[in-house]
Every structure is written in C-alpha cells, then in structure tokens.
Amino acid sequence: MSLFSQRPFSERTATWLAQSGLHPLLARLYAARGLQSPEELSLDLKQLLSPVELKNCIDTATLLADILDKKEPMLIVADYDCDGATACAVGLRGLRMLGGPETPIQFLVPNRFTMGYGLTPEVVDLAAQQNPKPKYLITVDNGIASEAGVDRARELGMEVIVTDHHLPGDNLPKALAIVNPNQPGCTFPSKALAGVGVMFYLLVALRAELRKRGKFTNETQPKVENLLDLVALGTVADVAQLDRNNRVLVSNGLKRIRAGISQPGIQALFQAAIRDPRKANTFDLGFAIGPRLNAAGRLADMTLGIRLLLTDNADEAMTLAHELDRINRERRVIETGMQETALSHLAEDQLAGTMAERTSICLWNPEWHQGVVGIVASRLKERFNRPAIVFAPADGSTGEELRGSGRSITGFHLRDALDLVSKREPGLILKFGGHAMAAGLTIRKSDFEKFDARFQKVASELLTEELLERRHAHDGILESSDFTPEIGDLLAEEIWGQGFPQPVFYGEFEIAQQSLMKEKHLRLMVHPIGTAGAKSAGKPLTAVWFNRTQSLPAKAKAKAKAKLAYRLVTDRYQGQARVQLMIEAHDEAAST
C-alpha cells in the first residue's frame, strides 16, 4: 500500500514570498521546499558561494597558473558518464580560454568495459603513452578513490590533481592536490556539487589568480560563465541535489540554452531529441539530453560524447548528435529486454510469496549488458521501492567477475551499506564506490549468492518498515483556475530536480474515458472535482500514465472517480497549447 501526504509549508512564509511578487502557487511550492525569505529567490550568479571555502581550490588554482605559465603538458582523465563528459569539456575549454589556444592539454576517457572506473594503473599507463607525455594528470568526476592509480602515475613521473565529488574511502590518494567538497576538512557549505561543478569552481579560482598576476583585467578576462550550459547539463544529469548553489548554476546554464547561445553540441542534442531549446528546462536535461550523451559511455566510447561537447562546428555537432541518438535508441532496446528478464525472474519470487520478505534486490544474468545495468537497477528500485543492484559479466575478466550498479531509496545510504558488507566480509567486494543513492561495485561471479545474502542482511538491519513503505509526497490540490497552459509554462520554467522536487499535485477526478496509447501507456480523459465535490465544467482534460496498461479503476465503471497524484504540463501540437496531466500514482485506498 502507498501512503500519500502533502508537503508541509508555512502559510506565513508563502504569503511573504507572494507579497514579494512571486506567483501565489510558486510561493506555496517554494515554501514547501524550505525557502524562508524573498532574498533566497534570487538565482543570480552573484549568489554563488565563494571558492575560498572549497578546500585546496585556491592553492590548486595557483598551481595551475604556474603550469599554464610554463606551458607544461596536461591530460584530463574523465569519467564515462554525462557528469564526467561535461566536466572534461568544461576543463578543456576553460583551461584553453585561460591559458590560450596553444595550451598543451589533451583528454582521455577510460573504456567502461575494459578499464573500469576511475584513474586505475591501466589508465595511467595509457596516459603515459600520449604524445606529448603529460606531466600532470587532472581527474574530473573521479580520482578520490584512486590510490593505486596515483601511485602508478608518480612512478611514471607524472603528478595528479584530483577534482571529484564522490565520497572518499578510508584513505586519500597521495595526489599533488585534491579538490572535493566531500573530502575530510572541507568546510564548503554545499556538498552537492557535481564533478562538473567542482571543475567550474576551479576555473573561477584560476581566473582570479591569473587576474591577480596581471594576465587579465575584469574587463578583458575570459568569460568562463559561457560554460554554464555544460555545468547545468552535468549537474542535472548526475541527479545532484539542487541546493541553492546548484540551482544558481543550473538556472544560469538554462538561460544560455534558452537564449540560443549554448555550445553547438548542446544545441545539436536538443535538435536530435526534437526538443525546443527556447523552452529548455531541467526535465529536458535529465530525461532527453543527458541520456543521449550518456548512451556513448554505456554502449560505445564516451570520447564520442566529449568530442560533441568540444566542437565549435555546427555540422560536425549535428553528425555526432545523430550518432548519439542512434546509440540511445539501441540502449533502449537492450534495456527493455533486460528489464523484462529481470521482472520475469522476480515474478517467480512474487508467486512463491517471498518477494515481500526481500529488503533488497540483487540480480545478474550472463546475457546482460554491463553498460545498462544502472538504468535497470533504477527501474527495479522505482517499481519495488527496494535498493536494487544489477550485475553483468565484466569485460576483460575472463568471465570470472561481475560488475554491478546499484540504486537506492530514501533513507538507505548505498555506499555506506556496501562499505559495511566489505568490512564484515573482507575480500567479498573487490572494489566499490559511489553515493548515498547510487554506487558501483565488482565481485566474483562465484560470490554472487554470498554477496546477495550479505547485502540482504545489511538492508534488513538498516531498513525499517516505514522506509520500505512507498510514500508519495505531493503539493496539494490545484484550483480549477490553475488547469491552464500558462500555469504549465510557469512551472516548466522553474529549476526543479533532486532535493528540490518537481511539483506533484493531488486531487480527485471523474474518469470520462480510458484507452491505451501504443499498447503500453494509459490515456484518460478526466474532469477535476473541486473541494466542494462539484465536477468542473468544460471539456475533460487529457491525462497520461506512462508504462501502465491497467485501467483506473480496475472495472472502469461509468463515472468512476479516482484520486491521482500528477504533474501539470503544457502540451503543444500544431500551434495549439493545452494543459495535460502526467499521472505519477493512484491512491487506491481513497478512490471510488
């Protein structure tokens, strides 16, 4: 059974926000998301936190200024996801901006399937073969757990500068410098920076250092702010918490995209996704643009995605964007097959009556694709409200190892849970890393059942019945006057995401009609029912529930009523704008 509850908010705060000029609906939504005063509404760049409190950022900027001055060769080692790709592009573009086009800097992104994650010794050996051989390796979105890789770099005469945001392990690598808001002793107020955000902060500090050295003035300095479209994409796609600092970054990046002055690669991705960049929002970045870029790292080589973000040639950008779009379609087919196999396996547990006893889900299949396991884990987590880890055979391991990707639910810190398993059973997990909500790991194939049992035990100890009960937080009832395209546009323009959730409303509707779209999506025509119990006049509204085929209610009787949680969006077709509901959940206990 699911529980539905309205997000609490202060009426006084909402009134105060509205009196400052904010739309009353937005005032209510912002109050429910923790805003306390009108001053917090500003997302101007001047509101960004200073780099001074970001541990080692200023010293590392000084170091980079010296490296640029000596024209010493550098190489950026990127991660193979969207955050890593955008961080790499920001680093390359930014360092060339600040050091000049002749800056000797290259990039390298490990192959997900043969080299694994992070700055491994194998990646370092490959880096040393570049021409010219780099004197400095700069990691983006990785490196905080790369002790062996950093040691190998020093053996080969290269120093490492780590920029990362992942949680550190018990020991830090012996790098020349580490910039990471989550490292011990860092007092930076925002721990939610994505890898691309960390790199952007380092560039801001570097520009200030070069300005101090007389390289530029305030008027002549390069505009690293021009890279904020990349920062916005990487931050949203990595599902970083949208605290105020991240919302400032994302808001200003979206402004550039909407104004048509984003990087050619991002413009091409919008075109390939058939999205209008003039109306770009966080939903586009997270569910249309990010997945197409991520597809390169999942099925092919993220070098393709980074090339797209680095090119200034519009024709080349379109060619690369269409190739990424093709790879993303292939990814969807693979994902669908894996998901069906996983659900078929779990159906056996459901029939046996043991699914309800599970506090976690661990699955593997010899036919599954290593690049898509994270997406499938996410789908299973959403469907069953359980932490889920999905494994596939690890390439290059002679079939003896499995690589897994996990996704968690609120209240269960996945990386810490893996750490606990590893401490209780040393050697069971060969390597792991990640966040509270997502993590990756490698185990031996022969140890899968043992790992499943140990992880299940930890999950059983840490998860309560309350955490395992599916909960739907919503933003209350909309007035009949709010069901307009204008309100849909108003909501779409705001900065929503992880930690600052997109509004979901709740209300009762009379169902006028139901049908299936493409045999897999439920489409309804509904009339909102007001708080007084009266059905709204006028034409029914269209409501869509993606990936649901069961009618609401089950018997679909005439004039049936249902209480639904939904998002309000504006749909445009042939020049006509109309409001549409995107159903998130059905309150079966309250529906009639």
Side-chain angles (χ1 to χ4, degrees):
M1 184 66 69
S2 298
L3 296 179
F4 291 76
S5 60
Q6 183 173 349
R7 292 187 179 94
F9 67 94
S10 163
E11 291 277 7
R12 182 180 177 184
T13 300
T15 300
W16 192 12
L17 294 174
Q19 287 173 346
S20 73
L22 191 64
H23 189 286
L25 177 58
L26 288 181
R28 183 179 106 198
L29 297 173
Y30 277 6
R33 283 152 183 77
L35 266 68
Q36 299 292 322
S37 69
E39 288 73 29
E40 295 180 68
L41 295 173
S42 173
L43 297 181
D44 189 89
L45 269 178
K46 291 183 291 188
Q47 305 300 326
L48 272 183
L49 296 168
S50 167
V52 172
E53 287 188 76
L54 184 56
K55 185 177 180 180
N56 299 332
C57 189
I58 303 303
D59 290 343
T60 305
T62 303
L63 172 63
L64 280 174
D66 292 338
I67 294 170
L68 288 176
D69 190 51
K70 297 174 185 175
K71 301 294 182 188
E72 292 178 309
M74 297 172 282
L75 182 137
I76 291 180
V77 180
D79 187 18
Y80 40 66
D81 67 359
C82 191
D83 186 19
T86 52
C88 181
V90 165
L92 274 158
R93 284 185 175 276
L95 288 169
R96 285 172 180 162
M97 270 187 199
L98 297 169
E102 71 281 2
T103 299
I105 182 167
Q106 308 168 74
F107 79 90
L108 173 66
V109 56
N111 184 293
R112 161 181 229 136
F113 310 110
T114 59
M115 294 183 180
Y117 169 78
L119 186 71
T120 62
E122 294 80 10
V123 171
V124 171
D125 288 342
L126 187 58
Q129 297 170 25
Q130 305 302 305
N131 187 22
K133 178 184 175 182
K135 187 168 182 181
Y136 296 93
L137 304 181
I138 303 171
T139 70
V140 291
D141 192 33
N142 74 93
I144 196 65
S146 301
E147 292 180 75
V150 170
D151 290 345
R152 178 60 177 160
R154 300 183 79 175
E155 287 175 16
L156 297 177
M158 298 179 289
E159 293 287 356
V160 180
I161 297 170
V162 170
T163 76
D164 200 355
H165 69 124
H166 293 91
L167 297 173
D170 294 335
N171 301 303
L172 294 178
K174 295 180 177 66
L176 187 62
I178 298 175
V179 185
N180 181 338
N182 290 301
Q183 68 177 303
C186 184
T187 59
F188 192 67
S190 171
K191 302 299 182 184
L193 280 178
V196 68
V198 175
M199 189 67 232
F200 179 76
Y201 259 84
L202 185 53
L203 291 177
V204 170
L206 173 59
R207 183 176 65 177
E209 174 62 25
L210 292 173
R211 197 168 58 235
K212 190 191 305 181
R213 297 184 183 195
K215 301 287 186 182
F216 326 111
T217 65
N218 284 335
E219 291 72 31
T220 64
Q221 66 184 5
K223 295 185 180 299
V224 295
E225 298 84 2
N226 292 353
L227 303 173
L228 282 170
D229 54 343
L230 294 167
V231 178
L233 173 57
T235 299
V236 173
D238 209 50
V239 202
Q241 289 279 333
L242 291 192
D243 59 12
R244 189 186 184 192
N245 203 59
N246 273 342
R247 287 172 60 238
V248 169
L249 293 171
V250 172
S251 174
N252 284 276
L254 278 172
K255 284 179 183 176
R256 298 191 62 80
I257 297 172
R258 291 168 182 167
I261 52 175
S262 59
Q263 316 299 327
I266 289 185
Q267 293 181 41
L269 283 170
F270 268 86
Q271 191 169 334
I274 318 177
R275 299 286 176 126
D276 185 355
R278 294 170 300 178
K279 297 186 178 298
N281 56 39
T282 50
F283 193 85
D284 291 328
L285 297 183
F287 294 94
I289 309 307
R292 282 168 171 78
L293 192 59
N294 265 328
R298 293 191 185 283
L299 299 190
D301 183 350
M302 186 47 96
T303 301
L304 185 70
I306 296 173
R307 279 177 51 210
L308 170 70
L309 300 180
L310 290 175
T311 184
D312 291 320
N313 182 292
D315 291 336
E316 181 185 11
M318 277 311 308
T319 299
L320 292 169
H322 282 302
E323 175 62 11
L324 289 176
D325 187 61
R326 182 197 64 77
I327 296 172
N328 192 51
R329 290 195 300 273
E330 181 184 345
R331 184 271 302 169
R332 286 177 184 159
V333 172
I334 295 171
E335 176 198 336
T336 299
M338 288 172 60
Q339 193 172 332
E340 288 174 353
T341 303
L343 291 175
S344 175
H345 178 86
L346 292 172
E348 297 175 10
D349 286 355
Q350 288 177 304
L351 288 172
T354 58
M355 188 63 201
E357 299 171 11
R358 278 183 175 263
T359 50
S360 64
I361 295 171
C362 291
L363 295 173
W364 87 278
N365 187 292
E367 304 301 320
W368 284 351
H369 194 293
Q370 185 185 318
V372 188
V373 289
I375 301 177
V376 176
S378 181
R379 300 285 188 264
L380 295 176
K381 179 266 295 186
E382 290 166 5
R383 186 179 184 108
F384 295 101
N385 199 46
R386 299 286 189 274
I389 303 178
V390 177
F391 292 88
D395 287 2
S397 67
T398 65
E400 296 306 313
E401 292 180 2
L402 300 177
R403 285 209 184 112
S405 187
R407 300 293 183 269
S408 194
I409 62 175
T410 301
F412 184 77
H413 197 298
L414 186 54
R415 188 208 167 276
D416 285 357
L418 293 176
D419 188 46
L420 188 54
V421 172
S422 181
K423 285 180 166 62
R424 288 180 177 180
E425 192 88 29
L428 179 59
I429 302 177
L430 301 179
K431 53 187 173 183
F432 70 95
H435 306 277
M437 302 302 286
L441 70 158
T442 302
I443 63 172
R444 298 177 190 84
K445 184 170 67 175
S446 57
D447 284 338
F448 174 78
E449 284 78 11
K450 182 188 289 186
F451 172 80
D452 186 13
R454 300 297 186 273
F455 185 70
Q456 169 79 9
K457 187 174 190 304
V458 167
S460 298
E461 293 170 3
L462 300 180
L463 283 165
T464 63
E465 286 186 21
E466 185 179 13
L467 289 173
L468 290 170
E469 198 158 27
R470 191 182 298 276
R471 293 171 178 270
H472 297 283
H474 61 78
D475 293 290
I477 297 172
L478 280 181
E479 299 296 331
S480 57
S481 58
D482 288 330
F483 288 97
T484 66
E486 291 74 24
I487 292 296
D489 287 339
L490 179 74
L491 295 173
E493 289 172 0
E494 299 303 307
I495 308 302
W496 314 109
Q498 186 73 18
F500 204 83
Q502 192 170 24
V504 173
F505 302 102
Y506 179 86
E508 187 171 25
F509 296 85
E510 183 179 290
I511 301 173
Q513 183 182 328
Q514 303 187 68
S515 60
L516 283 182
M517 297 166 47
K518 299 180 180 179
E519 302 302 317
K520 60 179 182 179
H521 309 304
L522 184 63
R523 182 176 184 272
L524 304 96
M525 304 303 293
V526 300
H527 290 281
I529 297 174
T531 52
K535 181 179 76 173
S536 65
K539 294 181 180 179
L541 304 174
T542 301
V544 177
W545 194 340
F546 285 111
N547 299 313
R548 177 177 176 115
T549 56
Q550 184 183 0
S551 297
L552 291 178
K555 294 183 180 179
K557 61 187 178 182
K559 295 186 178 180
K561 296 177 182 178
K563 289 196 173 180
L564 305 173
Y566 62 92
R567 291 183 291 111
L568 188 75
V569 301
T570 298
D571 179 51
R572 284 179 169 81
Y573 180 68
Q574 295 183 342
Q576 295 293 315
R578 58 178 183 171
V579 69
Q580 193 172 75
L581 313 184
M582 311 305 290
I583 302 174
E584 298 279 322
H586 171 216
D587 190 348
E588 298 177 36
S591 297
T592 59

